[in-house]
């Protein structure tokens, strides 16, 4: 029966193209939406991932960078540096706020470390200074270029005019950017002492046992929370997923419904148009189960091809979007691809059921109508 | 003796009450192995209804239908489908081939449905089509075949599972007289009677009387024997 299903599809190529195209479109939409979400998630944890700090110290009760407020006492950074096995420790001040670019405002994650800190600044500097001085800022290069800004221009951040001292790359997301400022400047804007830190980024000595260092840190500073980089990233990703889960679920549902409707309608139309042929099959001895297998085979072939076409389409369109809009980081993960397979199988099976009533009611007597 | 097909007092009524129409009224019919029977009658006389009941496509209002001695009129839909597949072959006026399949694939299809697959099915389909003069047209789709060729493919399909009984509904209805005669001679003589196969043909075509063993006349839902030399008006 597979051959009949296959030939039926090939016999109506226009319908096959519409069917495969519809499924491919739905698959592409699902993958792109998930990719955009994964991209924004990646952007949100980019700073944590890009810093060479294996351990992060933060205020007790805090487990995230985003949507939380952490402030550690000023002497904590020095305390950490005194712990055996700690190679480097950098005090980080973190805030969020809108960067006023003249034409528009862009929400920004704002990071500040002491001038001359071994890390904590931009990881991919395109132009200018890598460590901003007083009243200076490092902006994303794509963001600056979009609004005609360059080195020496000024932007307003948290109500203060700052001069652009450097331009970084990979620091512009869909709705947010990553901005680096001088720690003293940010401390002034936040109203905290200049040596205060929201987090302490800790790099153990290369030959030190990370677990032992962590234990020592917990013992020496029990009033703070210590997390590994991996745990900190996972915690932020989980929070972002929870925040966006409803939105992404709604968007995916729309794409799934589009896919379901396309498959269902094409399968149903194909069945209706071939009703006479199915009637003939019924007349010459096919039972309903066999006819359903033909219909289901057509649906699964269409959605299988749609899936295969949808994947490169998603990658291609994703690459095009990223080229045109650098802030749109789209991450299509293999796990996500595989995750769509059972969903697609389920909606294809559901679509196959739509013509079931039609098949059952088929009157084999149609064969006698000349 | 077991008849290939036997109808005992079979009636079919459409509708109910004052709008009821009796298409067949207490029809009795016995078909012997190898027998070729023509059923003729005017339009609306109930020929197609009779053939549909005989072909297990339509349930009876009353009466008994036996195929190869097995009473089948009250069997389940799936059993009747199985019986149609294994014991009956159908030839229709409008051929009813699968447009997306080639000639050989159309014939193979019913064998596949009956569980015969692969080279065995292909070989049998090839052999049947060759016997029907379509050895060179195996890979043509119905759209590329003439009416006579299509009907020959339909005959090959009807014979594919080697059924003991063929039911044909106006098989020459869409063919010119010469082609119609050729096709029916192939079906009835070479592949029918000579192989012990029974054939029931519902037709308006008087010329087919010469190949039939018996000619039956159906009028107002009632079946009667005729010698075939004199037939009432068909209109």
């Amino acid at each position: 029966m597979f051959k009949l299903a296959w030939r039926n599809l090939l016999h109506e190529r226009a319908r096959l193209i519409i069917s495969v195209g519809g499924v491919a479109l739905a698959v592409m939409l699902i993958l792109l939406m998930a990719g955009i979400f994964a991209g924004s998630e990646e952007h949100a944890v980019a700073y944590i991932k890009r810093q060479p700090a294996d351990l992060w110290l933060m205020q007790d009760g805090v487990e995230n960078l985003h949507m939380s407020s952490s402030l550690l006492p000023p002497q904590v950074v020095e305390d950490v540096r005194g712990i055996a096995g700690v190679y480097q420790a950098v005090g980080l001040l973190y805030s969020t706020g809108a960067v006023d670019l003249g034409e528009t405002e862009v929400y920004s994650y704002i990071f500040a470390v002491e001038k001359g800190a071994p890390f904590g600044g931009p990881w991919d500097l395109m132009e200018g200074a890598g460590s901003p001085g007083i009243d200076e800022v490092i902006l994303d290069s794509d963001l600056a270029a979009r609004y005609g800004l360059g080195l020496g221009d000024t932007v307003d951040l948290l109500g203060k005019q700052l001069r652009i001292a450097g331009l970084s790359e990979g620091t512009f997301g869909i709705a947010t950017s990553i901005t680096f400022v001088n720690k003293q400047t940010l401390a002034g804007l936040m109203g905290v002492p200049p040596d205060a830190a929201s987090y302490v980024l800790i790099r153990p000595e290369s030959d030190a046992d990370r677990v032992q260092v962590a234990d020592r840190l917990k013992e020496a500073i029990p009033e703070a929370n210590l997390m590994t980089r991996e745990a900190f990233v996972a915690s932020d990703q989980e929070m972002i997923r929870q925040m966006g889960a409803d939105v992404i679920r709604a968007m995916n549902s729309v794409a799934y419904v589009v896919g379901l409707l396309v498959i269902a309608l094409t399968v149903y139309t194909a069945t209706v148009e071939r009703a006479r042929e199915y009637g003939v099959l019924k007349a010459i001895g096919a039972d309903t189960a066999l006819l359903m297998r033909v219909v289901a085979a057509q649906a699964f072939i269409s959605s299988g091809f749609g899936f295969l076409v949808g994947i490169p389409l998603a990658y291609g369109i994703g690459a095009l979007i990223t080229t045109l809009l650098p802030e749109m980081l789209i991450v299509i993960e293999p796990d996500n691809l595989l995750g769509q397979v059972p969903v697609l199988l389920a909606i294809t099976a559901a679509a196959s059921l739509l013509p079931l009533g039609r098949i059952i009611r088929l009157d084999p007597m149609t064969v006698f109508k000349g | 003796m077991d008849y290939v097909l036997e109808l005992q007092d079979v009636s079919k009524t459409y509708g109910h009450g004052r709008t009821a129409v009796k298409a067949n009224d207490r029809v009795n019919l016995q078909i012997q192995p190898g027998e070729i029977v023509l059923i003729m009658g005017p339009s609306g006389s109930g020929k197609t209804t009779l053939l549909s009941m005989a072909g297990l496509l339509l349930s009876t209002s009353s009466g008994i239908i036996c195929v190869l001695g097995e009473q089948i009129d009250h069997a389940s839909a799936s059993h009747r489908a199985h019986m149609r597949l294994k014991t009956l072959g159908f030839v229709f006026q409008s051929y009813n081939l699968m447009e997306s399949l080639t000639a050989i694939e159309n014939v193979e299809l019913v064998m596949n449905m009956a569980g015969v697959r692969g080279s065995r099915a292909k070989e049998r389909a090839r052999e049947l089509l060759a016997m029907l003069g379509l050895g060179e047209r195996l890979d043509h789709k119905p759209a590329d075949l003439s009416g006579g060729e299509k009907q020959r493919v339909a005959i090959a399909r009807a014979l594919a599972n080697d059924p003991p009984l063929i039911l044909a509904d106006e098989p020459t209805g869409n063919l010119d007289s010469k082609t119609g005669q050729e096709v029916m001679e192939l079906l009835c003589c070479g592949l029918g009677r000579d192989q012990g196969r029974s054939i029931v043909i519902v037709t308006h075509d008087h010329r087919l009387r010469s190949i039939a063993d018996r000619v039956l006349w159906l009028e107002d839902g009632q079946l009667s024997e005729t010698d075939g030399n004199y037939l009432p008006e068909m209109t």
Side-chain angles (χ1 to χ4, degrees):
Chain A
M1 289 306 103
F2 182 83
K3 183 188 273 184
L4 180 61
W6 174 242
R7 289 299 180 82
N8 277 350
L9 286 172
L10 285 186
H11 197 66
E12 298 287 345
R13 293 196 182 176
R15 188 187 296 123
L16 177 63
I17 290 168
I18 291 169
S19 179
V20 168
V23 177
L25 193 68
V27 168
M28 185 196 77
L29 280 174
I30 291 164
L31 292 179
L32 279 182
M33 284 175 186
I36 289 168
F37 190 74
S40 61
E41 189 182 291
E42 188 65 25
H43 173 72
V45 296
Y47 183 87
I48 310 172
K49 280 188 166 181
R50 294 298 192 128
Q51 300 306 323
D54 292 338
L55 299 168
W56 284 63
L57 192 75
M58 60 207 79
Q59 187 180 313
D60 193 26
V62 173
E63 290 184 339
N64 298 102
L65 178 66
H66 301 292
M67 306 295 288
S68 57
S69 175
S70 172
L71 194 64
L72 295 164
Q75 77 284 359
V76 164
V77 180
E78 281 311 316
D79 291 349
V80 169
R81 283 180 184 142
I83 305 283
V86 171
Y87 173 52
Q88 289 167 327
V90 173
L92 167 73
L93 260 186
Y94 171 73
S95 185
T96 57
V99 184
D100 188 344
L101 300 160
E103 295 173 37
T104 188
E105 289 187 346
V106 173
Y107 186 78
S108 191
Y109 305 137
I110 308 162
F111 297 93
V113 292
E114 305 116 78
K115 190 149 178 79
F119 55 84
W123 50 89
D124 197 355
L125 188 73
M126 194 188 170
E127 207 179 341
S131 184
I134 302 285
D135 295 345
E136 286 183 342
V137 63
I138 297 173
L139 271 191
D140 182 86
S141 58
D142 288 317
L143 178 65
R146 178 167 300 178
Y147 295 99
L149 298 169
L151 294 178
D153 291 331
T154 57
V155 293
D156 189 290
L157 182 67
L158 301 174
K160 189 170 179 67
Q161 289 286 310
L162 302 176
R163 195 182 68 85
I164 300 172
L167 296 169
S168 62
E169 277 201 319
T171 44
F172 188 19
I174 301 170
T176 55
S177 72
I178 293 173
T179 304
F180 302 90
V181 294
N182 178 275
K183 195 172 177 221
Q184 202 175 320
T185 303
L186 185 60
L189 290 169
M190 290 171 70
V192 298
D195 50 355
S198 309
Y199 302 86
V200 182
L201 284 62
I202 304 156
R203 191 177 182 189
E205 285 168 355
S206 58
D207 56 346
D209 184 331
R210 217 173 68 164
V211 177
Q212 278 182 1
V213 174
D215 287 344
R216 279 184 215 126
L217 281 162
K218 281 177 191 167
E219 198 179 281
I221 313 165
E223 69 278 11
N225 182 30
L226 185 75
M227 293 177 83
T228 63
R229 177 171 44 197
E230 295 75 20
F232 198 40
V233 165
S235 174
D236 257 21
Q237 282 176 330
E238 181 55 30
M239 185 197 63
I240 293 160
R241 269 179 216 140
Q242 281 176 5
M243 283 167 61
D246 288 343
V247 175
I248 201 75
R249 209 174 288 130
M251 291 193 298
N252 276 358
S253 299
V254 170
Y256 286 135
V257 168
V258 169
L260 177 67
L261 286 177
V262 168
I263 301 169
L265 286 175
T266 49
V267 168
Y268 187 75
T269 311
T271 307
V272 169
E273 285 185 12
R274 293 201 173 272
R276 187 182 170 83
E277 288 197 354
Y278 289 125
V280 174
L281 285 175
K282 217 169 186 177
I284 61 180
D287 56 16
T288 302
L290 188 142
L291 296 180
M292 276 310 295
R293 286 207 296 277
V294 176
V295 172
Q298 289 183 42
F300 279 99
I301 292 169
S302 299
S303 58
F305 276 108
F307 185 65
L308 293 178
V309 173
I311 293 169
L313 203 60
Y315 277 103
I317 298 289
L320 185 67
I321 291 171
T322 308
T323 306
L324 296 174
L325 301 167
E327 72 271 27
M328 295 277 274
L329 178 61
I330 297 173
V331 182
I332 299 172
E333 291 158 335
D335 280 358
N336 204 350
L337 280 178
L338 294 175
Q340 306 310 320
V341 173
V343 182
L344 192 64
L345 289 176
I347 62 172
T348 307
S352 306
L353 291 177
L354 189 65
L356 180 61
R358 189 90 189 188
I359 294 276
I360 290 169
R361 288 193 306 275
L362 261 182
D363 182 4
M365 292 280 286
T366 53
V367 292
F368 294 116
K369 289 168 189 158
Chain B
M1 176 197 177
D2 272 353
Y3 295 108
V4 177
L5 174 69
E6 185 175 16
L7 276 66
Q8 294 175 18
D9 291 329
V10 168
S11 297
K12 180 69 185 179
T13 304
Y14 293 108
H16 300 281
R18 285 162 58 187
T19 58
V21 176
K22 205 158 207 173
N24 289 135
D25 186 14
R26 297 176 69 84
V27 170
N28 287 286
L29 173 68
Q30 291 87 31
I31 307 293
Q32 294 183 10
E35 191 178 26
I36 294 173
V37 175
L38 220 58
I39 299 176
M40 305 186 79
S43 297
S45 59
K47 298 191 296 294
T48 299
T49 298
L50 183 60
L51 197 71
S52 302
M53 289 190 292
L56 312 178
L57 295 169
L58 185 65
S59 57
T60 60
S61 298
S62 63
I64 291 170
I65 296 178
C66 295
V67 175
L68 299 174
E70 180 187 348
Q71 187 177 340
I72 203 82
D73 47 277
H74 282 93
S76 67
S78 63
H79 184 57
R80 287 196 292 173
H82 178 77
M83 288 294 280
R84 287 198 297 274
L85 184 61
K86 294 281 192 175
T87 61
L88 302 178
F90 291 91
V91 178
F92 308 106
Q93 179 179 356
S94 49
Y95 326 122
N96 287 327
L97 299 173
M98 302 290 129
E99 291 296 319
S100 60
L101 300 182
T102 62
I104 192 165
E105 288 167 345
N106 263 285
V107 182
E108 279 181 83
L109 178 68
V110 283
M111 286 189 272
N112 294 163
M113 283 162 55
V116 182
R117 298 174 198 285
S119 57
R120 212 172 127 213
K122 192 170 278 299
E123 211 38 58
R124 167 119 177 108
R126 195 190 303 276
E127 186 186 309
L128 281 168
L129 288 167
M131 284 165 70
L132 286 156
L134 291 172
E136 305 296 314
R137 311 285 276 169
L138 300 178
D139 297 322
H140 286 68
K141 288 192 176 168
D144 303 322
L145 299 173
S146 68
E149 288 173 328
K150 284 183 202 172
Q151 197 57 294
R152 280 184 275 169
V153 175
I155 290 169
R157 180 178 66 182
L159 297 168
N161 287 330
D162 200 19
L165 176 63
I166 301 284
L167 301 174
D169 178 51
E170 300 284 5
T172 59
N174 286 341
L175 304 177
D176 61 62
S177 58
K178 183 171 173 287
T179 309
Q181 196 69 26
E182 282 173 6
V183 165
M184 291 315 292
E185 275 173 13
L186 266 170
L187 171 64
C188 296
C189 303
L191 298 163
R193 189 185 286 123
D194 294 354
Q195 296 190 9
R197 191 172 278 124
S198 309
I199 302 174
V200 176
I201 304 165
V202 163
T203 185
H204 279 92
D205 192 342
H206 284 255
R207 290 162 303 188
L208 300 184
R209 283 176 299 178
S210 60
I211 55 170
D213 298 314
R214 273 196 294 156
V215 179
L216 304 175
W217 182 255
L218 186 68
E219 189 159 8
D220 297 330
Q222 296 197 312
L223 199 62
S224 58
E225 295 271 350
T226 164
D227 64 7
N229 293 322
Y230 169 76
L231 290 172
E233 275 301 309
M234 297 284 283
T235 51

